[in-house]
């Protein structure tokens, strides 16, 4: 396999991905490279395995809704409808047994950003048309887990928060 792969190491673990010859061999056009978010990607892969490799797993999935803006006394431009879009990007999404599983990987994000993201999920989840949504947060420490659970409580959606220690 050597002529078809690139190898690198991260935290003493070997990372293998297809090079140009390997992609051509299997007919793939998606190029994988070692990036600064490799830790995040590896953690997302652990979650993928935790859920038994869902066939419809999608990464970096955008959920967007349109929210009508209340007219104000400010200057209006003719022909432009005042619409505001709210958008949240899930680290991964898949559907199983009628439930939309929204996955968030929390390893380096600021906790303030996590709080804002949970509020965005609260706004966009009611408009999901394909099944009942469940938000999963996977995080690195018990302290972060407690904070995420606290922020998700009472938001009107199903959620689970797990540490990576629980799924390994």
């Amino acid at each position: 396999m050597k002529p078809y792969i690139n190898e690198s190491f991260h935290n003493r673990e070997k990372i293998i991905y297809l090079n140009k010859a390997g992609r051509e061999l299997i007919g793939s056009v998606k190029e994988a490279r070692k990036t600064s978010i490799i830790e995040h990607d590896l953690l997302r892969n652990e979650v993928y395995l935790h859920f038994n490799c869902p066939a419809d797993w999608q990464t970096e999935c955008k959920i967007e809704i349109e929210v009508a803006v209340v007219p104000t006394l400010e200057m209006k431009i003719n022909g432009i409808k005042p619409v505001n879009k709210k958008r949240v990007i899930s680290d991964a999404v898949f559907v199983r047994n009628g439930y939309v599983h929204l996955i968030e990987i929390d390893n380096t994000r600021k906790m303030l950003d996590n709080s804002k993201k949970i509020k965005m999920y609260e706004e966009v989840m009611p408009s999901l048309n394909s099944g009942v949504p469940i938000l999963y947060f996977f995080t690195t420490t018990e302290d972060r887990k407690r904070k995420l659970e606290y922020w998700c409580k009472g938001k009107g959606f199903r959620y689970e928060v797990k540490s990576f220690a629980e799924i390994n």
Side-chain angles (χ1 to χ4, degrees):
M1 288 185 47
K2 283 274 190 205
Y4 303 107
I5 60 172
N6 290 329
E7 296 178 358
S8 64
F9 287 89
H10 180 75
N11 292 340
R12 297 186 192 163
E13 292 185 33
K14 187 186 287 190
I15 300 169
I16 300 171
Y17 50 97
L18 293 175
N19 60 22
K20 183 178 178 184
R23 290 190 308 275
E24 288 174 356
L25 180 69
I26 66 165
S28 176
V29 293
K30 186 174 181 180
E31 183 176 355
R33 292 187 177 178
K34 184 177 177 182
T35 65
S36 60
I37 59 168
I38 191 75
E39 183 75 26
H40 185 268
D41 291 346
L42 292 172
L43 292 173
R44 185 175 54 208
N45 289 348
E46 283 187 39
V47 174
Y48 175 71
L49 294 171
H50 171 72
F51 284 108
N52 297 317
C53 308
D56 60 343
W57 179 271
Q58 296 177 340
T59 60
E60 303 299 322
C61 188
K62 183 183 352 176
I63 301 166
E64 189 173 72
I65 62 168
E66 290 185 0
V67 180
V69 177
V70 178
T72 64
L73 297 175
E74 297 174 8
M75 186 174 107
K76 295 181 183 177
I77 301 172
N78 288 336
I80 296 180
K81 181 180 174 183
V83 173
N84 188 13
K85 290 185 179 184
K86 301 237 177 199
R87 176 177 68 192
V88 64
I89 299 174
S90 297
D91 291 325
V93 174
F94 68 97
V95 179
R96 184 176 286 160
N97 300 328
Y99 294 97
V100 177
H101 298 266
L102 304 164
I103 310 297
E104 284 298 327
I105 307 301
D106 169 50
N107 62 323
T108 58
R109 185 183 296 137
K110 293 179 183 175
M111 291 307 284
L112 180 62
D113 292 341
N114 281 330
S115 175
K116 289 177 183 176
K117 196 155 195 181
I118 290 168
K119 288 177 185 172
M120 289 299 293
Y121 273 114
E122 182 181 24
E123 293 176 19
V124 301
M125 276 197 186
S127 66
L128 285 178
N129 296 329
S130 57
V132 179
I134 305 171
L135 177 62
Y136 292 90
F137 264 95
F138 291 88
T139 190
T140 53
T141 67
E142 288 299 316
D143 184 49
R144 293 173 80 88
K145 177 183 173 181
R146 279 190 295 278
K147 287 178 183 176
L148 291 166
E149 286 174 333
Y150 177 76
W151 289 330
C152 287
K153 260 184 200 150
K155 295 292 186 195
F157 56 79
R158 290 182 58 189
Y159 68 92
E160 275 190 48
V161 182
K162 295 185 178 235
S163 68
F164 284 101
E166 292 177 289
I167 66 169
N168 288 335

